[in-house]
Amino acid sequence: MAEFNVDFPEDFLGEVLNMENDELCTEMLTEAAPLLEESMKRAMKSVIIHEGESEMVQSVKSSKPVKTRTDAYLVTVGPRGYSKDKKYYDSDGRGGHSKRKYAVSNALKAIWKEYGIPGHQPPRPFLARAANDARAGVLDKLQEVYNRKVGAK
């Protein structure tokens, strides 16, 4: 049988172990979120047909990092707010169209794009593409921030 012993110096991983997880995770997510924002905007633009939906793309923002009860850290990236334009039409039940009296949520418009509207609009998925396109860049950014905080080269 072979024996393998490792003696770690006292200061080994000292910076990492003494660093606050909250600080590290928050900074990593804060710096990586803009990459996902841009990826989502590009993917949304590719499925837009009507010019009135461009404000949905412009409304994509990321939230601040939040720690959950299960100690996970989350950043939400998606469309915010409501449409300022009421040029959307729906059936008035008599075969014509009437203007909506209320603004439509940009998140609801994104859901309509992603999953479609049965009988009216086919699905035009963009979320998976946005996540896949941003994955490599986000992982690189997370590693870069980690290396900077730890002092790795």
Side-chain angles (χ1 to χ4, degrees):
M1 288 273 184
E3 187 174 315
F4 185 76
N5 291 324
V6 178
D7 292 323
F8 290 106
E10 286 189 32
D11 65 341
F12 184 75
L13 294 176
E15 278 188 58
V16 178
L17 296 175
N18 292 334
M19 185 184 307
E20 288 291 324
N21 276 344
D22 293 342
E23 177 187 337
L24 178 63
C25 293
T26 301
E27 187 171 338
M28 290 170 78
L29 291 175
T30 300
E31 290 194 28
L35 299 173
L36 185 54
E37 266 183 53
E38 290 305 314
S39 178
M40 184 171 284
K41 286 179 181 182
R42 279 193 309 273
M44 273 185 174
K45 283 180 187 177
S46 70
V47 299
I48 286 182
I49 296 173
H50 306 291
E51 65 182 60
E53 296 166 341
S54 61
E55 68 182 15
M56 171 185 66
V57 174
Q58 296 164 356
S59 74
V60 172
K61 302 277 188 270
S62 60
S63 67
K64 292 181 181 177
V66 177
K67 184 177 179 181
T68 66
R69 283 185 266 164
T70 60
D71 293 333
Y73 289 86
L74 300 176
V75 169
T76 306
V77 177
R80 306 276 193 253
Y82 287 84
S83 161
K84 293 172 182 59
D85 194 3
K86 294 185 183 178
K87 292 181 183 172
Y88 303 98
Y89 294 90
D90 58 356
S91 176
D92 64 1
R94 296 186 303 256
H97 293 91
S98 61
K99 239 182 184 180
R100 288 193 176 145
K101 296 179 176 75
Y102 54 91
V104 177
S105 162
N106 286 320
L108 182 59
K109 288 195 278 184
I111 290 170
W112 289 340
K113 286 291 172 202
E114 181 72 17
Y115 299 107
I117 302 171
H120 296 284
Q121 176 181 330
R124 291 184 172 86
F126 64 90
L127 290 174
R129 185 172 355 124
N132 289 336
D133 290 350
R135 186 175 315 276
V138 167
L139 291 175
D140 289 344
K141 181 57 84 172
L142 295 176
Q143 187 67 50
E144 176 189 317
V145 172
Y146 178 80
N147 290 345
R148 186 175 65 231
K149 292 296 259 183
V150 174
K153 295 178 183 171

